[in-house]
Each structure stands twice: as structure tokens, then as C-alpha cells.
Amino acid sequence: MTCRKALTVPSGPETTAEAAAGGPAADRPTEPRTAEAAAGGPAADRPTEPRTAAAPPAGGAPEAAGRSGDPAPAPRRPPGPDASRDGRADTDPAPGAAGSGAAGAVAAAPSVPAGERPGRRARLAGFARREWRRSALAAAGGIALGLAFPPYGVWPLSPAAVAALSLLTRGRTARQGAWTGLVFGVPFFLVLLKWLHVIGWDAVVGLSVIEALFLVPMGAGLALTSRLPAWPLWAACLWVAQECARDRIPFGGFPWGRLAFANTGSPYTPLASLGGAPAVTFAVALTGALLAALVLALWRARAAAGPAARRRALLTAAVPLAAATAATAAGFAVPVPTGADDTVRIAVVQGNVQQPGMDFLGRPMKILNNHVEATLRLAKDVEAGREPRPDLVIWPENASDLDPYKHREAYERIDRAVKAVGVPVLVGALVDHVKPGYVENQGIVWDPRTGPGASYTKQHPVPFGEYVPFREQLSKVITRLNRVPRDFYPGDHTGVLQVGPARLGDVICFEVAYDEIVRDTVNAGARALVVQTNNATYGRTGQPEQQLVMSKLRAVEHGRAVITAAPSGISAIVGPDGTVRQRTDEFTQDVLTATIPLRDDITVADRAGAAPEWVLAMVGVLSCAAAIVIGRRGRTDEKGQHP
């Protein structure tokens, strides 16, 4: 396409408001100038609107925008659904996107003298006027995504929220997409992590902002790739890439809020056995992006001129509709292995705590005595014939708040309970490390004849909860960190333990959220999984429910029964198909008994490992690179067509 160069003033500086705002006129040689830039906004946001001069030429009378005798500006490249090779905003804005016409922009723009750049306050004010509607919609989408997770658990909101973010970033600049990602992410994590208010609302806000920062590059990437063909596919890959990064950094990452964890009882769940949590996230995000494409297609059909054009637009809408349906239904075609190679009868003891909150431990030995008493009652029921004798018993994390190797009283209480029930007990205990100032979070196999034996030490202590990074520096500023008097020392091997007749895989507390820890445990030979956890600090806040759904996903992902044991609840027994077969209430003393399957086969997800996640993440990153290259090439080609 050829263009004619618009007439400019023959002498003096640029005479438009855009030049006053610092924008080089040469970058857009065929576009009439606009006062929008004077307000601090990129004119490219509305590429098809007419431009209007708003500032007089330096040292002269005002210049008419379209005076007689001036050659007419060359026509712009016609807009299209996925146009914008030059990297500017798409000319097919999302339905409901905030934006006013050029006249409104001119009326709102403050008068700026020629050659003078508007101040930061004026630019921010202009940005706020342009973006507040879009920002409000993004925040609403983030809140909706938070409601998809427990304790609310409205999983259909997860693809709907993805669709909303896709529409709001569609055709935007990378900077605008980044801002939209941030205002989507902050309220999402505020809703998701409000259980941290037990520690302090500053912790809720601080962690929410840190986690939301990962959605900033994702939002920019969504904006960039929205101009590419097959953009819903790249959008889904970007969601996987965002979660991949957030699961690993900083300090080992924080995987809370993955789309997969909102979909542990949805049609997408069986996909976990093929590609783990990343496969579920990908399917949910792909469905959401395709729904956004469907909305755009229907919007075009509504605006189409004539019945024939409307029919063609509706036929186009059938493609994303069919693809979204296929992505949602794909899970029904995936078999979930549940057949048992063997079985074992277990008992899960929930002894309860003295009080919820930060001081749940209460007086020394209180929690330990609660679990001893509950186990002794189980032993009496067995002796009386009211309950079949289990093959093994599982206690939760921190069931012993004192090191049984150093405190004789704790040792004797545990030993008494184990001998009374007559079977091995997996005991959660805090054990002093050989290095002064450190403690280990362990699961110890306690035999009724030989006493304590093999153990597993938690590999991934929680930063700022179980250890304090940069303790010497931060403790001077954040005195609350002194409530963590000793750092937990990380273990160096998986938690495969022979507990009576069963080879169990032990993971402790938040470790259930990390793909590689659970996967390595299963691949090392675990026939069933145990999650020893302690959620007493966050009781009745929704956090125990959020952690329980992770156990449900892991059951399907690895084809293993998952036993969750918590001192104050929620303790549960989950089948290999992800169904919760038994569970306790919070802050009650209870014992669960059941026969669970033991399985030897591993799933496709176990064999594939992290490869699907890395492939999808790299595709997302490369799609952004491709969008940048194509955008630059388009601008170069367009400039080269001018004399």
C-alpha cells in the first residue's frame, strides 16, 4: 500500500500537540496529529479515529487542521480483526472496553504550550481518565477468579476470568497490557490469600502484590500476542509460563492460585494424569481465551452490515465455540487409573489443638497428649472389637511439639500409644538439628517393637514461616519475624517410607503444592501418598480447603490414594480418582479409618515429568518474541513506503 505524505509546517518545530508531548512525528508520517498525546495518551489506542490539532504553531497564529489548499492526508491501512502489524492498538476493540471518541479526548486534554512536555501529574491524569473503566473491569475479573477457588469453589469462574482478561488486553500496547495484568492480579490474590490476615493484613497485601507482579509480563504478553493468528493458543501458553515462573521464584516459589487448583472437580481434572497441573491450567486458559474469541466474533456479527455478512460472521464464531467445547470435554476422554494392586487398612488420628491462630501450640505436650489420647481410644475400640485393627496409623505434622529424641517424656508418651495400638505409627515431630539454631520438620516411622526408625525431613521449608531469609537484616526492620526463633533445615531426599506393609510417600504441608516434590516421591516407589500438615494457624479461614483440593489433584495426577492428616483438620482420605471418601471437621478430635488401594503403575504425567510445562511455557515466551519481531517489521515496511 502506498501513502501520500501529509503536509507539515515548512519551518519551526512540530506544531502539533503530539510534538509537545514528546512524540516524534516521523514515527507516524501518514497520521493526522491529535491533542490526545498532550494529555499523555498514545494516539495509537484509537488508530481509526480522526486526529485534531490542539496547539498553535510556535510564534504564529493557530494553524487550521484542514485549511483550503492542503492536500488530504493519505488513507490509513484498513482495519481488520487481527490487523496492527505496526504494533499499535487493534482496531477491533473488545466489547465493553473503555474508550471515548477523539472529540472527547480533545475536550479533556489540558492546553500545553508548544514544545513543552506535560508534567507527570497531567500524564497520570490522562492515563486514569482513559483506563479507569478497563481497570475496574480487570479488578472485577480478578475477584471473580479468586471466587473460583475454595472456600467458594465456583470453578466455572476460572475460564470466565481468563476470557475477561483476554478481552481487556486484546489489541492493547504491551504497557497497557502489563497494567491490566497488575490490576487483575492484585484483587485476585487479595481474595485468594486473605487467610494470611491471621498473621497481619500487611502480609496479605504484601504477598498479593508480589504474586500479582508475575501477571504484569503475562498481561503484556497477552496484549502482544493478541495480534497474532491463533492467539488463544498463545494466551494459554502464557498462563502456563506465568505459573511456571511463580512456582519457582523467589525463594523456591509460591504455587498458590494455579488455575489447576480451582479445577479439581471439573471436566478438566482428568487431564492431570496426562500432563499434571500444567495440563489442567493450559486447558482452562485455552477455553477462556477461546470464549473471548467467541465474544469478539459475535460482536462482529452484531455490527455486520447486511444479512449475508452477518451469516458469515456467525459461521466464523462457530470455530472458537467448537474449540472451546472440545477443550472442556477433552478430560472425559482421559481414563483415570484407580485399580488396586494391593490394599492396606489405615487410621488417621486428628488430636486437635488447644486454640487456633498463631499460638496454636499452647502449653508444651498439649498437642502430643491429644494425639496420644485419641490413639489410646482407638486401641480400646480395637480390643473391644468395635473397630478392625488397622495395618498402620498416621499422625499429622507437629503431632509432637517436642523433640522425642531429647525429651524423655515425649518419647515415652509416643511409645506408649504405639505399643497400645500394636502397629507402626507415622509420627510428625519437630527434631533438633545437629547444627545449633536449626530444627527439622520430620515424619518418623515408630514401630511398636523397635521404636523410632526411618524418617523423612521436609525438603521445602516455607520462607518467613519456617525460616527467615536474610534474618539478620530483616529482623531489625520486621520484629514479627522474631516469632520464628529457629530456621527449619531442609531435607535432601524423597519421603518414601516403609510403614508396616505399605510403602508410603510422605510430603509435609505446603510441599503438596509443588509438582516436582510429589512427582519425585511417586517415581521413587510410593504406592500411596501421605500429606502430614498443620493448618491450625489458619483454621476456619479457607486455607485448609485450598490445601485439600491440592490433594485431590495429586490423587488424579499420580493415580494414588492421598491421605491428609492435620492436627486440627481438615484430615481426609482421597481416592485415586480424586474423590474425597472421608473427611473431618475443623477443630475436633477424630479418627478416620479406611481401606485404601496401593498402586504400582505410574501415570503419563509421572513419565513426562516437567517437560510439558517447559514446552508450553517456552511456546508462550516465543510467541511474544514473534509478536515483537512482526510488529517491528511492519513499522519498518510502512516507513519505507514513504518518500
Side-chain angles (χ1 to χ4, degrees), residues 149-150 260-262 264 544-554:
F149 291 80
F261 293 153
T264 61
E545 288 92 342
Q546 291 180 6
Q547 188 169 324
L548 178 59
V549 297
M550 299 177 191
S551 294
K552 293 176 60 179
L553 186 76
R554 298 308 180 195

Side-chain angles (χ1 to χ4, degrees), residues 360-361 397-402 428-443 456-469 471 481 483-492 508-511 532 534 537:
F360 68 89
L361 285 174
E397 177 188 22
N398 303 150
S400 176
D401 52 337
L402 297 178
L430 296 178
V431 177
D432 293 338
H433 188 64
V434 293
K435 187 176 180 181
Y438 289 88
V439 66
E440 293 178 336
N441 193 352
Q442 288 192 348
Y456 166 67
T457 300
K458 186 177 183 181
Q459 302 175 68
H460 197 298
V462 178
F464 303 103
E466 295 177 325
Y467 78 98
V468 179
R471 175 182 289 273
L481 296 177
R483 293 180 67 97
V484 185
R486 296 187 295 173
D487 289 341
F488 282 40
Y489 200 89
D492 57 4
I508 296 179
C509 202
F510 282 17
E511 288 184 329
Q532 291 182 294
N534 181 5
T537 300

Side-chain angles (χ1 to χ4, degrees), residues 365 368-369 372 395 399-420 425 427-431 444-453:
M365 295 282 293
L368 175 57
N369 286 330
V372 169
W395 285 9
S400 176
D401 52 337
L402 297 178
D403 182 352
Y405 298 108
K406 289 191 173 182
H407 296 268
R408 189 65 188 175
E409 185 179 2
Y411 185 103
E412 290 174 351
R413 293 289 288 165
I414 297 171
D415 202 52
R416 179 191 172 195
V418 174
K419 287 179 177 177
V425 178
V427 178
L430 296 178
V431 177
I444 306 168
V445 180
W446 206 291
D447 189 88
R449 294 183 299 275
T450 60

Side-chain angles (χ1 to χ4, degrees), residues 236 239-240 243 258-261 263 267-287 327 330-331 334 515 519 553-554 557 604-605 608-614 616:
W239 274 93
V240 176
E243 291 185 359
R258 301 169 74 175
L259 294 178
F261 293 153
N263 287 271
Y268 305 100
T269 308
L271 297 173
S273 66
L274 297 181
V280 178
T281 288
F282 175 78
V284 174
L286 180 61
T287 301
V334 179
D515 295 346
R519 182 173 56 241
L553 186 76
R554 298 308 180 195
E557 179 180 357
V604 175
E613 180 180 29
W614 285 107
L616 292 171

Side-chain angles (χ1 to χ4, degrees), residues 81-83 85 90 170 224-235 623 626-627 630:
D82 289 306
R85 291 186 317 153
D90 201 315
R170 169 83 172 157
L224 289 170
T225 58
S226 69
R227 304 180 181 97
L228 298 177
W231 60 268
L233 178 62
W234 319 132
S623 68
I630 292 172

Side-chain angles (χ1 to χ4, degrees), residues 508-527:
I508 296 179
C509 202
F510 282 17
E511 288 184 329
V512 70
Y514 295 89
D515 295 346
E516 58 276 8
I517 292 178
V518 185
R519 182 173 56 241
D520 290 347
T521 303
V522 172
N523 285 334
R527 306 181 76 194

